[in-house]
Amino acid sequence: MRVVIVDNSRGEVCDAGCGADWSSAEVIALARQRVRDSFGEGVQLEYLDLAGQPHNAAELKRIVGDRALPLLVIDGQARIAGQFDLRQLLDAISTEAEIKSQNSV
């Protein structure tokens, strides 16, 4: 499963603590560790910063559209748009894994 957090590190930041600062290397490292601990090596977590990394504009335009950032994308499908935290990230991955396991039965 491919999990991508699409963000813009130059975008507005919520001062009220309404989500994780996904642009922080420490936050991404913690998230990757928690994902690995919870789901094993079959789930890959990536962080894509629209402000600083080259990217496939056509693919991102299709996925991001006019959705709020940060955007959680799981296997090419937008799952959460706007501020979210580590718990919500893990819940979304868990739900997706459960759906995939039910569909494979």
Side-chain angles (χ1 to χ4, degrees):
M1 182 182 314
R2 181 174 181 229
V3 179
V4 182
I5 298 170
V6 181
D7 196 9
N8 182 346
S9 62
R10 294 186 189 144
E12 291 184 30
V13 176
C14 176
D15 293 332
C18 51
D21 178 5
W22 297 112
S23 66
S24 164
E26 294 82 16
V27 172
I28 290 295
L30 173 63
R32 284 187 175 126
Q33 184 62 50
R34 295 284 305 276
V35 166
R36 191 176 311 116
D37 291 348
S38 298
F39 305 102
E41 297 296 325
V43 177
Q44 301 302 314
L45 177 62
E46 302 172 37
Y47 174 76
L48 179 60
D49 184 357
L50 297 180
Q53 296 179 347
H55 49 271
N56 181 334
E59 178 186 359
L60 284 176
K61 185 175 181 180
R62 178 188 66 78
I63 294 171
V64 174
D66 61 354
R67 293 179 177 98
L69 296 177
L71 178 66
L72 178 64
V73 179
I74 301 177
D75 287 339
Q77 299 297 314
R79 295 298 181 219
I80 301 176
Q83 296 295 327
F84 59 93
D85 60 23
L86 183 55
R87 180 193 55 80
Q88 292 168 303
L89 169 76
L90 295 172
D91 286 350
I93 295 169
S94 177
T95 300
E96 191 73 19
E98 186 175 327
I99 290 169
K100 287 183 185 298
S101 71
Q102 288 178 357
N103 287 340
S104 66
V105 174

